[in-house]
Amino acid sequence: DTAVSQTPKYLVTQMGNDKSIKCEQNLGHDTMYWYKQDSKKFLKIMFSYNNKELIINETVPNRFSPKSPDKAHLNLHINSLELGDSAVYFCASSQDGGGPSGANVLTFGAGSRLTVL
Amino acid sequence: GENVEQHPSTLSVQEGDSAVIKCTYSDSASNYFPWYKQELGKGPQLIIDIRSNVGEKKDQRIAVTLNKTAKHFSLHITETQPEDSAVYFCAATGEAGTALIFGKGTTLSVSS
């Protein structure tokens, strides 16, 4: 039973198109994240939602819009795709959002590889 | 904000040898330091973590050490096996509401 599932796994599209990636977790976690992994394998946080509320919004172009309909889902919509958006996008979840009490054990999905032509 | 540096970027060892990956962090408030292993075509998976109130933690062939004064932590893998070949990431976090900040990864190759 997949804990964090992302769809689609592969996405090939043309510049200028709009696309979405969906993520669902069945772990009962309160916090969900989107990370971007570039061609050099660097993992960078994009967004974080805690119980449907946005808590982290890093310096990401506003063409990227996350949406959390409920705490088990966090989708990523990308408008006007550019070549530089090509990457692997990872969804993750954790029991809470970190802080002095700790936790922050992230469970990652398998990734969605986006290729913009 | 937090910045995590990881070295080396690539590491090649013979099966049975030990491998050590080192990370430094900048934010003295950070208190949680996990290590993730990413196999080809998969998402990163937690292999071991350590909190700031502990100096060392071991789980079978893997161990992590933390030096809070020097703000660095290391992953040690003993008796390496070919299946240990993967990309390893260190990470750090501390402040409430912050996400894990990852190092740039180390590609470990274990040859038999």
Side-chain angles (χ1 to χ4, degrees), chain B residues 71-112:
Chain B
K71 289 192 280 189
H72 66 71
F73 56 114
S74 301
L75 177 72
H76 304 253
I77 307 174
T78 58
E79 299 171 31
T80 53
Q81 300 166 2
E83 50 266 38
D84 294 329
S85 297
V87 181
Y88 291 81
F89 293 94
C90 63
T93 192
E95 288 183 33
T98 60
L100 282 177
I101 303 301
F102 285 84
K104 292 193 174 181
T106 297
T107 301
L108 173 65
S109 301
V110 181
S111 52
S112 54

Coordinates of all heavy atoms in Angstrom, one line a residue, chain B residues 71-112:
Chain B
K71 N 29.4 22.3 14.4 CA 28.2 22.3 13.4 C 28.5 21.4 12.2 O 28.4 21.8 11.0 CB 27.9 23.7 13.0 CG 27.2 24.5 14.1 CD 26.7 25.8 13.6 CE 27.7 26.8 13.5 NZ 27.2 28.2 13.2
H72 N 28.9 20.1 12.5 CA 29.0 19.1 11.5 C 28.6 17.8 11.9 O 28.6 17.5 13.1 CB 30.4 19.1 10.8 CG 31.6 18.7 11.7 ND1 31.7 17.4 12.1 CD2 32.6 19.4 12.2 CE1 32.8 17.3 12.8 NE2 33.4 18.5 12.9
F73 N 28.1 17.0 11.0 CA 27.7 15.6 11.2 C 28.1 14.7 10.1 O 28.3 15.2 8.9 CB 26.2 15.6 11.5 CG 25.3 16.1 10.4 CD1 24.4 15.3 9.7 CD2 25.3 17.5 10.2 CE1 23.6 15.8 8.7 CE2 24.4 18.0 9.2 CZ 23.6 17.2 8.5
S74 N 28.3 13.5 10.4 CA 28.8 12.5 9.4 C 28.1 11.2 9.3 O 27.5 10.8 10.4 CB 30.3 12.2 9.7 OG 31.1 13.4 9.7
L75 N 28.0 10.6 8.2 CA 27.4 9.3 8.0 C 28.6 8.3 7.7 O 29.5 8.6 6.9 CB 26.5 9.3 6.8 CG 25.9 7.9 6.4 CD1 24.8 7.6 7.5 CD2 25.2 8.0 5.0
H76 N 28.5 7.2 8.5 CA 29.6 6.2 8.3 C 28.9 4.9 7.9 O 27.9 4.4 8.6 CB 30.3 5.9 9.7 CG 30.9 7.2 10.2 ND1 32.3 7.4 10.3 CD2 30.3 8.3 10.8 CE1 32.5 8.6 10.8 NE2 31.4 9.1 11.2
I77 N 29.3 4.3 6.8 CA 28.8 3.0 6.4 C 30.0 2.0 6.4 O 31.0 2.2 5.8 CB 28.2 3.0 5.0 CG1 27.2 4.1 4.9 CG2 27.6 1.7 4.6 CD1 26.7 4.3 3.4
T78 N 29.9 0.9 7.2 CA 30.9 -0.1 7.3 C 30.5 -1.3 6.4 O 29.4 -1.5 6.1 CB 31.1 -0.5 8.7 OG1 29.9 -1.0 9.3 CG2 31.6 0.6 9.6
E79 N 31.6 -2.0 6.1 CA 31.4 -3.3 5.3 C 30.4 -3.0 4.1 O 29.4 -3.7 3.9 CB 30.8 -4.4 6.2 CG 31.8 -4.7 7.3 CD 31.1 -5.7 8.4 OE1 30.2 -6.5 8.0 OE2 31.4 -5.6 9.6
T80 N 30.8 -2.1 3.3 CA 29.9 -1.7 2.2 C 29.6 -2.8 1.2 O 30.5 -3.7 1.0 CB 30.5 -0.5 1.4 OG1 31.8 -0.8 1.0 CG2 30.5 0.8 2.2
Q81 N 28.4 -2.8 0.7 CA 28.0 -3.8 -0.3 C 27.5 -3.1 -1.5 O 27.1 -1.9 -1.5 CB 26.8 -4.6 0.4 CG 27.2 -5.3 1.7 CD 26.0 -5.8 2.5 OE1 24.9 -5.7 2.1 NE2 26.3 -6.4 3.6
P82 N 27.5 -3.8 -2.7 CA 27.0 -3.2 -3.9 C 25.7 -2.5 -3.8 O 25.4 -1.5 -4.4 CB 27.0 -4.3 -4.9 CG 28.1 -5.3 -4.4 CD 28.0 -5.2 -2.9
E83 N 24.8 -3.1 -3.0 CA 23.4 -2.5 -2.9 C 23.4 -1.2 -2.1 O 22.4 -0.5 -2.0 CB 22.5 -3.5 -2.2 CG 22.9 -4.1 -1.0 CD 23.6 -5.5 -1.2 OE1 24.3 -5.6 -2.3 OE2 23.4 -6.4 -0.4
D84 N 24.6 -0.8 -1.5 CA 24.7 0.5 -0.8 C 24.9 1.6 -1.9 O 24.8 2.8 -1.5 CB 25.9 0.5 0.1 CG 25.7 -0.4 1.3 OD1 24.5 -0.6 1.7 OD2 26.7 -0.9 1.8
S85 N 25.2 1.2 -3.1 CA 25.4 2.2 -4.2 C 24.1 3.0 -4.4 O 23.0 2.5 -4.6 CB 25.8 1.5 -5.5 OG 27.0 0.9 -5.4
A86 N 24.2 4.3 -4.2 CA 23.0 5.2 -4.3 C 23.5 6.7 -4.1 O 24.7 6.9 -3.9 CB 22.0 4.9 -3.2
V87 N 22.6 7.6 -4.1 CA 22.9 9.0 -3.8 C 22.4 9.2 -2.3 O 21.3 8.8 -2.0 CB 22.2 10.0 -4.7 CG1 22.5 11.4 -4.3 CG2 22.6 9.7 -6.2
Y88 N 23.3 9.7 -1.5 CA 23.0 10.0 -0.1 C 22.9 11.5 0.2 O 23.7 12.2 -0.3 CB 24.1 9.3 0.8 CG 24.1 7.8 0.8 CD1 24.7 7.1 -0.3 CD2 23.4 7.1 1.8 CE1 24.6 5.7 -0.3 CE2 23.4 5.7 1.7 CZ 24.0 5.1 0.7 OH 23.9 3.7 0.6
F89 N 21.9 11.8 0.9 CA 21.6 13.3 1.2 C 21.6 13.4 2.7 O 21.0 12.7 3.4 CB 20.3 13.7 0.7 CG 20.2 13.8 -0.8 CD1 19.7 12.7 -1.5 CD2 20.6 14.9 -1.5 CE1 19.5 12.8 -2.9 CE2 20.5 15.0 -2.9 CZ 20.0 13.9 -3.6
C90 N 22.3 14.4 3.2 CA 22.2 14.9 4.6 C 21.2 16.0 4.6 O 20.9 16.6 3.5 CB 23.5 15.3 5.2 SG 24.3 16.7 4.4
A91 N 20.6 16.3 5.7 CA 19.7 17.4 5.8 C 19.7 18.0 7.3 O 20.2 17.3 8.2 CB 18.3 17.0 5.4
A92 N 19.1 19.1 7.4 CA 19.1 19.8 8.7 C 17.8 20.6 8.8 O 17.4 21.2 7.8 CB 20.3 20.6 9.0
T93 N 17.3 20.8 10.0 CA 16.2 21.7 10.3 C 16.2 22.0 11.7 O 16.7 21.4 12.6 CB 14.9 21.1 9.8 OG1 13.9 22.1 9.8 CG2 14.4 20.0 10.8
G94 N 15.4 23.1 12.0 CA 15.3 23.5 13.5 C 14.2 24.3 13.8 O 13.4 24.0 14.6
E95 N 14.1 25.5 13.1 CA 13.0 26.4 13.5 C 11.6 25.9 13.2 O 11.4 25.2 12.2 CB 13.2 27.7 12.7 CG 14.4 28.5 13.1 CD 14.5 29.8 12.3 OE1 13.5 30.4 12.0 OE2 15.6 30.3 12.0
A96 N 10.7 26.3 14.0 CA 9.3 25.9 13.8 C 8.8 26.4 12.5 O 9.1 27.5 12.0 CB 8.4 26.5 14.9
G97 N 8.2 25.5 11.8 CA 7.6 25.8 10.5 C 8.6 25.8 9.3 O 8.2 26.1 8.2
T98 N 9.8 25.3 9.6 CA 10.8 25.2 8.5 C 10.8 23.8 8.0 O 10.6 22.8 8.7 CB 12.2 25.7 8.9 OG1 12.6 24.8 10.0 CG2 12.2 27.1 9.4
A99 N 11.2 23.7 6.7 CA 11.3 22.4 6.1 C 12.7 21.9 6.2 O 13.6 22.7 6.5 CB 10.8 22.4 4.7
L100 N 13.0 20.6 5.9 CA 14.3 20.1 5.8 C 15.1 20.8 4.7 O 14.6 21.0 3.6 CB 14.3 18.6 5.5 CG 14.0 17.7 6.7 CD1 14.0 16.3 6.2 CD2 15.0 17.8 7.8
I101 N 16.3 21.2 5.0 CA 17.2 21.8 4.0 C 18.3 20.7 3.7 O 18.9 20.2 4.6 CB 17.9 23.0 4.5 CG1 16.9 24.1 4.9 CG2 18.9 23.6 3.4 CD1 15.9 24.5 3.8
F102 N 18.4 20.3 2.4 CA 19.2 19.2 2.1 C 20.6 19.7 1.6 O 20.7 20.7 1.0 CB 18.6 18.4 0.9 CG 17.4 17.5 1.4 CD1 16.1 18.0 1.5 CD2 17.6 16.2 1.7 CE1 15.1 17.2 2.0 CE2 16.6 15.4 2.1 CZ 15.3 15.9 2.3
G103 N 21.6 18.8 1.8 CA 22.9 19.0 1.1 C 22.7 18.6 -0.3 O 21.7 18.1 -0.7
K104 N 23.8 18.8 -1.1 CA 23.7 18.5 -2.5 C 23.9 17.1 -2.9 O 23.8 16.8 -4.1 CB 24.7 19.4 -3.3 CG 24.4 20.9 -3.2 CD 25.2 21.7 -4.1 CE 24.6 23.2 -4.1 NZ 25.3 24.1 -5.0
G105 N 24.1 16.2 -2.0 CA 24.1 14.8 -2.3 C 25.5 14.2 -2.6 O 26.4 14.9 -3.0
T106 N 25.7 12.9 -2.2 CA 26.9 12.2 -2.5 C 26.6 10.9 -3.3 O 25.7 10.2 -2.8 CB 27.7 11.8 -1.2 OG1 28.0 13.0 -0.5 CG2 28.9 11.0 -1.5
T107 N 27.1 10.8 -4.4 CA 26.9 9.6 -5.2 C 27.9 8.5 -4.8 O 29.1 8.7 -5.0 CB 27.0 9.8 -6.7 OG1 26.1 10.8 -7.1 CG2 26.8 8.5 -7.5
L108 N 27.5 7.5 -4.1 CA 28.3 6.4 -3.6 C 28.3 5.2 -4.6 O 27.2 4.7 -4.9 CB 27.9 6.0 -2.2 CG 28.6 4.8 -1.6 CD1 30.1 5.1 -1.4 CD2 28.0 4.3 -0.3
S109 N 29.4 4.8 -5.0 CA 29.6 3.6 -5.9 C 30.4 2.6 -5.1 O 31.5 2.8 -4.7 CB 30.2 4.0 -7.2 OG 29.5 5.0 -7.9
V110 N 29.8 1.4 -5.0 CA 30.5 0.3 -4.3 C 30.8 -0.8 -5.4 O 29.8 -1.4 -5.9 CB 29.7 -0.3 -3.2 CG1 30.5 -1.4 -2.5 CG2 29.3 0.8 -2.2
S111 N 32.0 -1.1 -5.6 CA 32.3 -2.1 -6.7 C 32.8 -3.4 -6.0 O 33.4 -3.4 -5.0 CB 33.4 -1.5 -7.6 OG 34.5 -1.1 -6.8
S112 N 32.3 -4.4 -6.7 CA 32.6 -5.8 -6.1 C 33.9 -6.4 -6.7 O 34.4 -5.8 -7.7 CB 31.4 -6.7 -6.3 OG 31.1 -6.7 -7.7

